């Protein structure tokens, strides 16, 4: 399991021990790509939350040994990364309204500006919908948001206006999906992990009392596949939350 903390990328072992992998300017989302590499989002030296608009964000490509084999500069404040079947990936900038599409060679283009302050991203199994967590209503004045959106896709591209999936919780951060097609959200400010069924909009509180819950990952390898591992940006903890179902396999 890999996680970011203290301006660094870390490898987490099943017994809870951690090993440093690489340093960065900041620490945001992580996604597996290819056979063994990792994409890691980094705000860069400055960020919109403290310094205003900028374009010094980076998405690094690391080997598990910490070697930076590829990086992408030029996005303001990259946060969440979702890899597509062809090895390209989407990355959200939650300081603004941008989701970027990055090709395997590093070429980037603007994918969508349909959703304000996008954070977590997850594809439906048929790749016809992109679920997007909106974490803020606004930055000035600051206000959390409670919405998760369903953005229709056609051929991998946006194909219409986003539809509201749910308005519940507060400050939706990382997203994940189980193999039954249900969306899980780290509801950052309400301290909950929510499960939403897109077929009928049913919302279930899977866990609570987790103020600051940020990213979600289903277990793989030596980690329990029926458990979600959740980071917390306020406490630095990683929690194991048993959910009794496996995650939808991720593209890489």
């Amino acid at each position: 399991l890999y996680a970011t903390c203290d301006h660094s990328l870390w490898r987490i072992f099943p017994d809870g021990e951690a090993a440093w992998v690489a340093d960065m300017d900041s620490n945001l989302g992580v996604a597996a790509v290819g056979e063994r590499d990792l994409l890691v989002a980094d705000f860069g030296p400055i960020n919109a939350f403290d310094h205003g608009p900028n374009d010094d964000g980076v998405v690094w490509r690391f080997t598990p040994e910490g070697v930076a084999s590829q990086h992408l500069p030029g996005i303001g404040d990259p946060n969440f990364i979702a890899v597509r079947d062809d090895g390209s990936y989407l990355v959200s900038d939650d300081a603004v309204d941008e989701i970027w599409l990055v090709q395997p060679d590093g070429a980037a283009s603007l994918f969508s500006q349909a959703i304000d302050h996008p954070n977590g991203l997850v594809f439906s199994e048929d790749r016809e919908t992109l679920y997007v967590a909106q974490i803020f209503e606004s930055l000035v004045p600051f206000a959390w948001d409670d919405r998760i959106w369903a953005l229709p896709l056609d051929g991998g591209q946006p194909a219409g206006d986003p539809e509201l999936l749910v308005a519940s919780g507060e400050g939706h951060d990382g997203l994940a999906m189980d193999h039954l097609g249900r969306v899980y959200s780290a509801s950052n400010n309400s301290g909950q992990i929510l499960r939403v069924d897109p077929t009928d909009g049913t919302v279930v509180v899977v866990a609570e009392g987790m103020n600051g819950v940020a990213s979600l990952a289903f277990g793989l390898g030596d980690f329990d596949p029926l458990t979600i591992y959740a980071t917390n940006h306020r406490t630095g903890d990683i929690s194991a939350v048993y959910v009794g179902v496996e995650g939808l396999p991720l593209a890489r």
Side-chain angles (χ1 to χ4, degrees), residues 38-129:
L38 300 162
L39 297 168
V40 185
D42 183 345
F43 278 173
I46 62 174
N47 62 78
F49 303 92
D50 296 328
H51 309 97
N54 66 92
D55 62 357
D56 68 345
V58 174
V59 176
W60 298 95
R61 181 166 178 158
F62 288 112
T63 69
E65 295 77 29
V67 178
S69 58
Q70 176 180 318
H71 73 277
L72 167 81
I75 295 175
D77 294 294
N79 192 315
F80 197 94
I81 300 169
V83 178
R84 308 203 306 176
D85 294 326
D86 63 357
S88 64
Y89 60 92
L90 300 181
V91 56
S92 61
D93 184 338
D94 66 336
V96 288
D97 60 358
E98 297 173 352
I99 300 173
W100 289 80
L101 171 61
V102 185
Q103 300 298 332
D105 64 1
S109 59
L110 193 59
F111 181 79
S112 173
Q113 291 182 285
I115 298 160
D116 288 334
H117 306 290
N119 195 314
L121 311 169
V122 70
F123 292 103
S124 60
E125 184 174 13
D126 61 11
R127 306 298 194 256
E128 293 184 357
T129 303

Side-chain angles (χ1 to χ4, degrees), residues 121-252:
L121 311 169
V122 70
F123 292 103
S124 60
E125 184 174 13
D126 61 11
R127 306 298 194 256
E128 293 184 357
T129 303
L130 175 68
Y131 296 102
V132 182
Q134 181 173 344
I135 189 168
F136 309 122
E137 182 179 340
S138 66
L139 290 185
V140 183
F142 178 81
W144 296 98
D145 200 85
D146 65 353
R147 291 172 290 182
I148 301 174
W149 298 91
L151 181 66
L153 304 177
D154 184 6
Q157 296 297 316
D161 295 331
E163 300 178 0
L164 182 64
L165 174 65
V166 67
S168 183
E170 190 172 59
H172 293 290
D173 203 322
L175 296 184
M177 179 174 287
D178 67 27
H179 77 96
L180 300 177
R182 299 174 299 186
V183 178
Y184 295 73
S185 171
S187 186
N188 194 309
N189 197 53
S190 59
Q192 300 171 319
I193 297 178
L194 303 180
R195 186 183 72 210
V196 186
D197 190 336
T199 63
D200 59 11
T202 301
V203 179
V204 174
V205 177
V206 173
E208 54 190 348
M210 304 176 69
N211 194 20
V213 62
S215 294
L216 307 176
F218 279 88
L220 293 172
D222 292 333
F223 289 81
D224 181 11
L226 305 182
T227 291
I228 284 177
Y229 296 87
T231 63
N232 190 303
H233 78 94
R234 298 182 186 179
T235 66
D237 295 337
I238 297 177
S239 300
V241 181
Y242 180 79
V243 294
V245 64
E246 293 187 6
L248 182 71
L250 298 174
R252 54 185 303 167

